[in-house]
Amino acid sequence: MATGQNDPERRERIIAAALDLIAEEGVAGTSHRKVAARAGVPLGSMTYHFDGMGELLREAFTRFSGGIVAVFEERLGAASTTDEAREAVADLVHHLSGGNQRELVLTHELYTLAAREPVYRELTREWMRRSRVALERHFDPATARQLDAMIEGLSIHRALETEPHDRALTVEAIARITRSPCARS
Amino acid sequence: MATGQNDPERRERIIAAALDLIAEEGVAGTSHRKVAARAGVPLGSMTYHFDGMGELLREAFTRFSGGIVAVFEERLGAASTTDEAREAVADLVHHLSGGNQRELVLTHELYTLAAREPVYRELTREWMRRSRVALERHFDPATARQLDAMIEGLSIHRALETEPHDRALTVEAIARITRSPCARS
Amino acid sequence: MATGQNDPERRERIIAAALDLIAEEGVAGTSHRKVAARAGVPLGSMTYHFDGMGELLREAFTRFSGGIVAVFEERLGAASTTDEAREAVADLVHHLSGGNQRELVLTHELYTLAAREPVYRELTREWMRRSRVALERHFDPATARQLDAMIEGLSIHRALETEPHDRALTVEAIARITRSPCARS
Amino acid sequence: MATGQNDPERRERIIAAALDLIAEEGVAGTSHRKVAARAGVPLGSMTYHFDGMGELLREAFTRFSGGIVAVFEERLGAASTTDEAREAVADLVHHLSGGNQRELVLTHELYTLAAREPVYRELTREWMRRSRVALERHFDPATARQLDAMIEGLSIHRALETEPHDRALTVEAIARITRSPCARS
DNA sequence: AATGAATGAGGATTCATTCAT
DNA sequence: CATGAATGAATCCTCATTCAT
């Protein structure tokens, strides 16, 4: 019955399918059955490759957050001046809150898990840490931290708004956070 | 047999129980059965009082977001100077990201729903709108919007961080967003 | 879909079906599916009527041991002299170890559970207690206890033997246990 | 790659692991996976060394019953007088029904199998036969048979009782079975 | 000779919902 | 008006076994 033939990319395919499904139907709507069907693997494969739904979810979100961080690092790494860095940050906000529901949805699914389970909080913590490190290539630590939070807030609000704010607002917010303090407040 | 029109608060109790349950086990782990058990009502009541799980969830989150907004409005309404408003905002950030897992969890559960379903996005939109209105009592519209996003970002990052940042950072971020522009940028 | 019409004997039917199935395939081979099929009820009924497999098993064995004890009490109750009691005991041994695999199998299934789980040991304890009480109507407590053990051992060995021993041996064993001590040991 | 003909005791280790597992979780809870994990061998080994679960179980119980019989034979073999033999029998009852859950559990698991499947009944038959032979070194055949049953019954009842009877009762029962008949009943 | 990979069948259980009462 | 009874679908997961290597 079983063919036993190696399909080394099967694990990867399952993870990808899981991520797609989570994006479409949410963690709540994700089941072994649906993931298996989408990945084109038999149901029995699921618990063979992953030690239960928990492991699959963890792998999927590890992959996801890793991808987001990579974009983050790449864009900020490409900036060579502070102004370019500011532009990159604005790009990131609009990239994250743009048309792609996918990333928005997945981010919130992850945050929801993280809000309740420590294992996922580890993931978000690492994500935030690396974001900050990337920002610290251009800004001092306190500014980096504030900027990171600003990015978060702007992205979320932009994405959940029916009429998302335009770039000018984003740029202005970034400017305020990153400009050197005035001589007199 | 019939008890007449008894227990008029039953609906309320069910909603409260649902909210508690969502906070503890998430939307995914919430079921008619569990809510009924926690509210101390018969299972049959659930689909009698609510037209399915959807309606119950909507009611629950309407109540929840309403409560959060009320706190928001109250605190900002109590501020009479701009500086007091800044303090109020800092208070709100630290209140939202403080020990109370409950609000963090429920917020993310709602955002997760909103990221996918328009019905819930309506709820978050209204929430954000009223927040902004409250902020506009003290700040100009653009600043209010940025501040609102900043509150969001700071709250989330503070809550998901293992070592939450201290108040100084929050205060500084608020100051930067709300300070008048320098003569020379 | 659901008819909701009462079927008050359904619980009983399920228990009876479970007992039959256990007799045929053992506790290990007993599943919700099989019991449901045999009882002619939908699978969903199982966990509606019983709080899981555990409860079903407990109910089934409670019924079973109760039935055995009832026969025991009845037969011993009908005896009016010590000699009749001795005959009744022999009857019981040969009844229990006779052609009916069913009772033998069920007894061992129960003992196996009792050997591991206290909840079932409670059942066997009560069974033994009532057996002893029934025997004490005709014999002193120590003799009753020994006789009860003898019945147990003879029944088991008779049932597991390919060529079961004949009644004479049973009668002789009972006689030895129940005869008054000699003047000189 | 190939380790050659290494680990010749692997079969033994698997059987030992299986027996431990059966004692802990029962035949029902025993699976290739669990046995393999406990024995520290790859899952694939199981069906390589044993032709399915059945063979493994048979081997395991053969080993088990052999061990019990050996103790039986040894203790009775060491007795040189009838009185010593009586003491040995009492020892055996209290050994079997003592603290060691393990033997009680395994015995019942085996009896349960034997009650249903002839293959295992062969095992118990041989066990009983050898027990009787051992007893016949000290007692006549009919007495041996009765004594064997008595041992069985006393052991089971003692083990399943919450307050196990003391040695006096065991000794008395053995005495009654083994004493020569009185001149006058 | 030995095993890692793989899978279809079946395990218990939970569920939202319906309907007769 | 209110609900206990009922159920089919779906849940995750475990399993014995097979086969290519």
Side-chain angles (χ1 to χ4, degrees), chain A residues 25 32 65-66 68 77 104 133 160 162 168 176 183:
Chain A
E25 306 195 27
H32 276 162
S65 63
I68 301 273
L104 170 72
V133 168
L160 292 181
T162 40
R176 291 191 190 178

Side-chain angles (χ1 to χ4, degrees), chain D residues 1-184:
Chain D
M1 206 76 63
T3 45
Q5 180 244 351
N6 68 339
D7 207 353
E9 297 156 11
R10 169 164 294 189
R11 231 183 109 90
E12 304 305 309
R13 255 196 299 138
I14 293 174
I15 292 174
L19 225 29
D20 283 353
L21 198 61
I22 295 167
E24 282 178 26
E25 307 195 27
V27 168
T30 297
S31 71
H32 276 163
R33 283 177 147 68
K34 288 182 190 167
V35 174
R38 185 180 280 251
V41 304
L43 177 55
S45 281
M46 299 302 296
T47 41
Y48 176 75
H49 286 290
F50 299 89
D51 189 25
M53 201 73 215
E55 186 181 328
L56 174 54
L57 248 41
R58 250 170 289 129
E59 291 268 21
F61 279 114
T62 302
R63 181 133 332 184
F64 168 70
S65 63
I68 301 272
V69 170
V71 171
F72 206 96
E73 287 170 337
E74 185 214 317
R75 300 252 184 144
L76 280 171
S80 49
T81 69
T82 305
D83 266 343
E84 279 180 18
R86 288 195 186 93
E87 281 301 307
V89 168
D91 287 349
L92 285 166
V93 167
H94 286 253
H95 167 71
L96 288 174
S97 60
N100 58 338
Q101 282 298 89
R102 186 185 155 89
E103 289 182 1
L104 170 71
V105 166
L106 287 172
T107 299
H108 284 299
E109 293 282 353
L110 173 54
Y111 284 0
T112 297
L113 291 173
R116 196 172 295 103
E117 296 179 47
V119 174
Y120 297 98
R121 196 160 333 169
E122 205 53 42
L123 236 50
T124 57
R125 246 180 33 82
E126 176 65 8
W127 176 353
M128 294 192 305
R129 193 191 60 76
R130 288 177 61 188
S131 297
R132 251 181 288 122
V133 168
L135 287 165
E136 285 172 6
R137 297 175 62 159
H138 304 282
F139 308 100
D140 69 273
T143 299
R145 209 177 253 262
Q146 293 170 45
L147 203 47
D148 199 27
M150 190 83 238
I151 293 168
E152 183 78 68
L154 287 170
S155 300
I156 291 178
H157 281 208
R158 230 184 88 84
L160 293 181
E161 206 62 85
T162 40
E163 295 180 16
H165 66 255
D166 56 26
R167 200 169 219 269
L169 191 99
T170 306
V171 168
E172 172 65 19
I174 295 167
R176 291 191 190 178
I177 292 293
T178 61
R179 79 186 156 195
S180 55
C182 300
R184 303 227 38 93

Side-chain angles (χ1 to χ4, degrees), chain A residues 48-125:
Chain A
Y48 173 75
H49 287 288
F50 301 89
D51 190 27
M53 201 73 208
E55 187 181 326
L56 175 54
L57 250 40
R58 250 170 290 129
E59 291 267 21
F61 279 115
T62 301
R63 183 136 331 187
F64 168 68
S65 63
I68 301 273
V69 169
V71 172
F72 207 94
E73 287 171 337
E74 186 213 316
R75 299 253 184 143
L76 279 170
S80 50
T81 68
T82 304
D83 267 342
E84 280 178 20
R86 288 193 185 96
E87 280 302 307
V89 168
D91 286 350
L92 287 166
V93 167
H94 287 252
H95 167 72
L96 289 173
S97 60
N100 56 338
Q101 281 300 87
R102 186 185 157 89
E103 288 183 1
L104 170 72
V105 165
L106 288 172
T107 300
H108 283 300
E109 293 282 353
L110 174 53
Y111 284 180
T112 298
L113 291 173
R116 195 173 294 102
E117 295 179 47
V119 91
Y120 296 98
R121 197 159 332 169
E122 206 53 41
L123 236 51
T124 56
R125 243 177 37 81

Side-chain angles (χ1 to χ4, degrees), chain B residues 27-90:
Chain B
V27 167
T30 297
S31 71
H32 276 163
R33 283 177 146 69
K34 289 182 190 167
V35 174
R38 184 180 282 251
V41 303
L43 176 57
S45 282
M46 299 302 295
T47 41
Y48 175 74
H49 286 291
F50 300 90
D51 188 26
M53 201 73 216
E55 185 181 328
L56 175 54
L57 248 42
R58 250 170 290 130
E59 291 267 21
F61 279 114
T62 302
R63 179 135 334 185
F64 168 68
S65 62
I68 300 273
V69 169
V71 172
F72 206 94
E73 287 171 337
E74 185 214 317
R75 299 252 184 143
L76 279 171
S80 50
T81 68
T82 306
D83 267 342
E84 279 179 21
R86 288 193 185 96
E87 280 301 307
V89 168

